[in-house]
Amino acid sequence: MARPSSPSGEWARAGADPQGACTATVDERGIVTGWSEGAGRLLGYGPAEVVGHPAARLLAGDVGERARRVAAGRRGWSGTVLLRHRDGRRLQQRLLAHRRAAGDAAAEWLVMARAAGGPTTMPGEVLPRGGVFGEWVLRQLPCIVGVFDPDLRLVGANAVLEGALSLSEEEMRGWRLAELAPHPSSDRAEAAMRLVLEGGGVQHVADLIGPGGVGTEGAWPASLAPLAPLEAADAPARAVCLVAHPTAGAYPARQRMLLQGQARIGTTEDAERTAQELAEVVVPAVADFVAVEVLEDFWHGGGADAVRGGPAGRVRLSRVAVRSVLGDTGVLATAGDSVRYPAASPVTRCVTEGKATVYAADEPAIARWADADPQAAWIGRAEVHSVMVVPLRARGGILGAVLLGRHRRREPFDADDMWLGEQLVGTAAEAIHGARRRGREHTTTVTLQRSLLPQTLSDQQALDVATRYLPAGGRAGVGGDWFDVIPLSGSRVALVVGDVVGHGIRASATMGRVRTAVRTLADVDMPPDELLTHLDDLVVHLSAEEAGPQEAVQGAAGIGTTCLYAVYDPISRHLTLARAGHPPPAVVGPDGTVRFLDVPPGPPLGLGGLPFETVETELAEGSLIALYTDGLLEARDHDIDEALDKMFATLARPASTPDAVCDRLLTAMLTHPPDDDVALLVARTRCLGADRVATWELTFDPTVVAQARRLAADQLTTWNLEEAGFVTELVVSELVTNALRYGREPVRLRLIHEGPTLICEVFDSSSTAPHLRRARVFDEGGRGLLLVAQLAQRWGTRHEATGKTVWAEQFLAPG
């Protein structure tokens, strides 16, 4: 059986665009080795149908010379080909391919596709195509030049950029830089482009691109500038121009310092570490000491992301980072302290007005601050002669201030210093703002996710169950993985594991809705394949509701959700299951042999109209069942085959409890915080012995009701449950009477004694379901099921391939 796979590693995901890009990986032999969810949505194939098979099967026509050029060893290729959809349709698609050698292993290709008709040019042609500018200047400039539209897609490039990326301008048009050159430097450049489009002015990215490509050794720094129509130069930017050229003699010293400093700020998702990085860049390059201070409301998550106007009086800040050339920051409050500044202080003025200012130590403003605030005494003690205060500004709001001073350097701060300080502090502010926002979103999403997962597992006697849930540790955020254990009628138990596509609050909310739907459908005892079919319809409806008028249904939440639904019967020891695009479960026999259950994969939920298939297998008592989501296998430091081998070896080791198996699996499989959520459910099977089940075939005759009551009473005596006799005989009498009156033969009575529960079941071959009705005063019937509902804790109907079973559960008194 083909093992499920997906594009491996960060490299395979780097070019993926959540707005529509689809990715796959193909080895040098032309065999598909990775298949993303986007590719599955585009062509309709699941990973198991594609991975391990020739990529040529997906082509509807001969790509001819284009394929030969790829095989000839080019680094990249772009063009249009005909692809074959799973339903037989032919799709004309633009493809972009990158060749990558994986160390000693053979090279592989990252192939990306985008739906035809996507935006490739700006309205009105942002980049002029003719005349002196287009032909003489742009094409012959010795530096790299590219123009990107508001969606960050390339709309124009010069010859140097074509050479750097080994693609012609026509091949590059319509693709993002992160797709043309998957690399962390491309991601940094795109983040800077978004700042430019949001009004952030010119941005700089260090060591971005050079003749050898993006992120290569000796890459040149780049400047990103906004472009607006000449007739409305003050209008919002409609495009971004990227310009990169060698650093030797190209930039003044301060600009080189800026580029080098920005590359060192915001390297992690930790806001406090970002503040410390800013301090390390500024001292001693710009100042002799620095204090980075953030508004307490923002820092401690009080709900205020920024302050656009200022308070009338004091400002309260948290000192996040402090650094001095002396190494001893005792002249200042230490990092972590809360600092309250009076209205007369330069820091308060900076926060309220949002302007950077330079002060000499003998200026009246500093003197007034020293008179009103004892904290300002450090200026005299350290013999500071120049002070600069820079607002910590992010997205138009003020998060705090950065206080800088000089006492060793003789020259005071000047305009160039203030410009450099504003640029460096602005870079840090955006990183701090993003880190805190993502941190709050992550906390909110984790809280929502955990509240939607089962807090305690339901009581049942069929399985010994242990579960684990680990949220994702990367920037993508918490996903929509979930698990559930649902007791069913007849002592059976349903096990569910699922994975909603996407991350964040939306994915968690969708997970909650899907999990609730599974519980509702399970309550009516649907077979696994029928339950997944109804769940598929639900996801289609949810996605259609969430998709706005301009949003493709493929982008709506829920589509691509995977689910595995299994039902275990401790009486027959049968496990019945079906899956929708989810990894198959692993089973460990009592002898330690490990195997995957061969369950047809089925399509992910939300595609609509495709069938699911139920498989049934018999398990020995004491078998171990492991259900999991793909986050367990997609560790960053090994491929899918290595992960599966490691999981098999771990499961094969004897373990005393399912809890021990869970802990051992997570320890073995996850050497780093997971990049995707991990849901794990491990269950050990139990068997309900024949001495706890009694079954009788009844004749289809009204006189058999009395016989059924006697059989039930005798069995209760055998089980020492005589005290339950009155209720049980009444329930048996009513259920058998209904089967004889409204059903068809054969009729079968079964009693199950499971721990503190006694279950009475009556089967007949009619598919008509009974229902409660209110009997009128003089009616001679119609009260039987009402009595059953009042006497039993639970009752219901379970439909089978032929006929139905009406059941009732009663809880036995302790002892």
Side-chain angles (χ1 to χ4, degrees):
M1 184 181 65
R3 288 170 170 172
S5 182
S6 60
S8 59
E10 293 298 327
W11 179 76
R13 290 188 289 268
D17 177 5
Q19 298 298 324
C22 313
T23 60
T25 52
V26 181
D27 66 19
E28 291 286 77
R29 301 172 300 161
I31 303 299
V32 179
T33 58
W35 191 252
S36 72
E37 292 180 354
R41 290 194 296 269
L42 178 66
L43 295 182
Y45 296 96
E49 298 173 285
V50 178
V51 175
H53 298 283
R57 294 175 52 191
L58 305 175
L59 299 174
D62 183 13
V63 295
E65 180 61 26
R66 293 191 298 274
R68 284 190 286 274
R69 286 168 60 194
V70 171
R74 292 183 65 197
R75 287 186 302 165
W77 173 83
S78 176
T80 302
V81 299
L82 278 177
L83 302 178
R84 180 179 288 110
H85 194 277
R86 190 174 188 271
D87 60 13
R89 288 183 288 122
R90 294 187 173 194
L91 304 177
Q92 187 172 359
Q93 295 291 332
R94 287 193 65 194
L95 297 184
L96 177 64
H98 298 285
R99 187 176 188 273
R100 170 192 183 247
D104 297 331
E108 61 179 357
W109 288 87
L110 169 65
V111 183
M112 292 183 285
R114 185 176 301 285
T120 60
T121 59
M122 283 288 296
E125 292 291 330
V126 169
L127 182 66
R129 290 286 160 195
V132 175
F133 177 80
E135 299 298 330
W136 293 9
V137 180
L138 180 62
R139 303 296 295 177
Q140 299 181 47
L141 280 173
C143 57
I144 290 174
V145 179
V147 178
F148 298 81
D149 70 10
D151 293 323
L152 307 188
R153 307 195 184 283
L154 188 135
V155 296
N158 72 341
V160 188
L161 181 56
E162 289 178 332
L165 298 181
S166 301
L167 293 168
S168 69
E169 180 191 27
E170 188 60 33
E171 290 175 321
M172 292 189 289
R173 284 169 61 83
W175 295 97
R176 287 177 25 226
L177 183 61
E179 295 167 338
L180 294 166
H183 192 275
S185 295
S186 297
D187 298 333
R188 288 193 290 114
E190 290 197 343
M193 289 183 194
R194 293 188 182 94
L195 290 178
V196 172
L197 292 169
E198 293 170 3
V202 177
Q203 301 293 319
H204 305 283
V205 180
D207 303 329
L208 175 62
I209 185 171
V214 171
T216 57
E217 185 175 355
W220 305 340
S223 296
L224 301 162
L227 293 179
L230 294 177
E231 64 272 15
D234 57 345
R238 293 177 57 189
V240 180
C241 180
L242 181 153
V243 180
H245 47 80
T247 57
Y251 291 106
R254 297 228 179 259
Q255 214 158 8
R256 285 197 297 272
M257 189 184 301
L258 170 63
L259 294 175
Q260 295 168 358
Q262 286 180 322
R264 295 169 54 193
I265 296 173
T267 61
T268 69
E269 284 292 296
D270 187 339
E272 190 168 349
R273 176 59 191 157
T274 298
Q276 188 61 41
E277 289 171 342
L278 172 62
E280 292 169 357
V281 167
V282 168
V283 175
V286 180
D288 293 331
F289 63 82
V290 63
V292 182
E293 301 173 338
V294 181
L295 288 166
E296 284 198 341
D297 282 344
F298 170 78
W299 189 250
H300 296 295
D305 278 3
V307 176
R308 288 175 171 77
R314 292 173 173 262
V315 172
R316 196 180 188 91
L317 303 173
S318 286
R319 184 157 286 161
V320 183
V322 179
R323 187 174 176 84
S324 169
V325 293
L326 300 176
D328 178 14
T329 59
V331 294
L332 296 167
T334 57
D337 287 352
S338 176
V339 185
R340 188 188 295 267
Y341 287 101
S345 73
V347 176
T348 301
R349 181 179 176 184
C350 175
V351 171
T352 56
E353 297 180 3
K355 295 179 181 179
T357 312
V358 172
Y359 301 90
D362 56 359
E363 285 191 29
I366 299 296
R368 288 194 297 271
W369 178 25
D371 291 340
D373 187 1
Q375 295 178 105
W378 62 267
I379 297 176
R381 289 201 307 267
E383 298 181 351
V384 172
H385 62 82
S386 185
V387 176
M388 181 166 64
V389 188
V390 181
L392 202 63
R393 181 193 303 274
R395 302 184 185 276
I398 307 300
L399 307 181
V402 178
L403 185 63
L404 306 99
R406 282 181 177 174
H407 58 86
R408 277 194 171 182
R409 293 192 187 192
R410 295 179 180 179
E411 67 276 11
F413 291 113
D414 57 19
D416 286 344
D417 294 320
M418 188 162 65
W419 172 84
L420 179 59
E422 287 179 317
Q423 297 299 315
L424 292 173
V425 171
T427 299
E430 289 294 343
I432 291 171
H433 180 274
R436 299 298 286 183
R437 175 178 52 81
R438 285 187 290 271
R440 286 195 295 271
E441 289 177 356
H442 181 80
T443 301
T444 301
T445 307
V446 169
T447 302
L448 174 62
Q449 175 86 339
R450 292 195 181 279
S451 69
L452 294 173
L453 290 172
Q455 304 302 305
T456 57
L457 298 179
S458 303
D459 292 333
Q460 45 82 31
Q461 304 294 317
L463 296 164
D464 184 12
V465 180
T467 60
R468 297 292 187 273
Y469 169 73
L470 272 68
R475 296 187 63 171
V478 179
D481 294 20
W482 92 95
F483 57 81
D484 214 342
V485 179
I486 309 172
L488 303 177
S489 65
S491 298
R492 298 167 306 132
V493 178
L495 303 176
V496 193
V497 173
D499 185 357
V500 173
V501 68
H503 294 83
I505 293 179
R506 187 181 187 186
S508 294
T510 303
M511 177 274 286
R513 300 172 78 176
V514 173
R515 176 177 173 255
T516 301
V518 171
R519 276 195 158 264
T520 302
L521 295 171
D523 195 50
V524 296
D525 262 321
M526 286 187 174
D529 56 341
E530 188 175 342
L531 182 142
L532 291 181
T533 299
H534 284 278
L535 201 61
D536 182 48
D537 293 338
L538 170 71
V539 173
V540 170
H541 291 313
L542 290 179
S543 302
E545 289 176 2
E546 294 184 15
Q550 304 300 324
E551 182 181 359
V553 174
Q554 286 84 351
I559 289 184
T561 295
T562 66
C563 182
L564 171 66
Y565 184 81
V567 176
Y568 176 69
D569 187 340
I571 299 175
S572 65
R573 292 185 286 107
H574 283 186
L575 182 70
T576 309
L577 64 165
R579 62 186 177 116
H582 201 83
V587 170
V588 186
D591 59 354
T593 57
V594 186
R595 61 189 173 97
F596 274 136
L597 291 182
D598 190 5
V599 185
L605 300 175
L607 301 183
L610 298 175
F612 302 94
E613 187 175 343
T614 293
V615 170
E616 185 172 310
T617 185
E618 184 174 336
L619 300 179
E621 184 177 5
S623 297
L624 207 64
I625 311 168
L627 285 68
Y628 52 90
T629 55
D630 55 8
L632 183 68
L633 302 178
E634 294 180 352
R636 69 187 73 167
D637 55 351
H638 52 239
D639 60 24
I640 186 71
D641 290 326
E642 183 182 348
L644 291 172
D645 292 341
K646 187 177 292 187
M647 183 174 75
F648 271 39
T650 305
L651 288 173
R653 294 168 54 194
S656 57
T657 64
D659 271 303
V661 176
C662 286
D663 293 337
R664 187 180 293 169
L665 270 175
L666 295 180
T667 301
M669 303 294 292
L670 303 177
T671 57
H672 301 83
D675 296 322
D676 194 7
D677 287 22
V678 175
L680 176 62
L681 189 156
V682 175
R684 176 164 282 144
T685 62
R686 297 171 179 161
C687 178
L688 199 60
D691 60 331
R692 293 294 174 178
V693 182
T695 306
W696 302 277
E697 296 286 341
L698 304 179
T699 58
F700 201 75
D701 187 290
T703 61
V704 81
V705 176
Q707 179 189 358
R709 287 198 299 266
R710 287 195 301 272
L711 292 171
D714 292 343
Q715 186 62 48
L716 293 183
T717 301
T718 303
W719 286 339
N720 295 320
L721 300 177
E722 292 89 345
E723 291 185 4
F726 175 76
V727 172
T728 302
E729 290 184 43
L730 186 56
V731 169
V732 168
S733 178
E734 295 299 337
L735 295 186
V736 172
T737 299
N738 270 356
L740 296 173
R741 179 174 297 177
Y742 304 109
R744 291 198 298 265
E745 59 182 334
V747 176
R748 185 165 54 247
L749 169 65
R750 184 167 76 164
L751 294 182
I752 303 171
H753 179 204
E754 181 193 34
T757 304
L758 181 65
I759 304 170
C760 174
E761 295 183 344
V762 175
F763 168 84
D764 74 85
S765 60
S766 170
S767 298
T768 303
H771 61 277
L772 289 174
R773 66 184 180 90
R774 184 175 295 278
R776 290 171 294 184
V777 175
F778 297 107
D779 284 351
E780 296 183 0
R783 298 176 178 85
L785 286 180
L786 184 61
L787 284 173
V788 171
Q790 295 296 316
L791 294 172
Q793 270 68 32
R794 295 196 309 153
W795 79 280
T797 304
R798 179 173 71 250
H799 288 274
E800 302 176 21
T802 301
K804 67 178 182 297
T805 298
V806 184
W807 55 270
E809 284 186 13
Q810 53 178 306
F811 294 156
L812 303 174

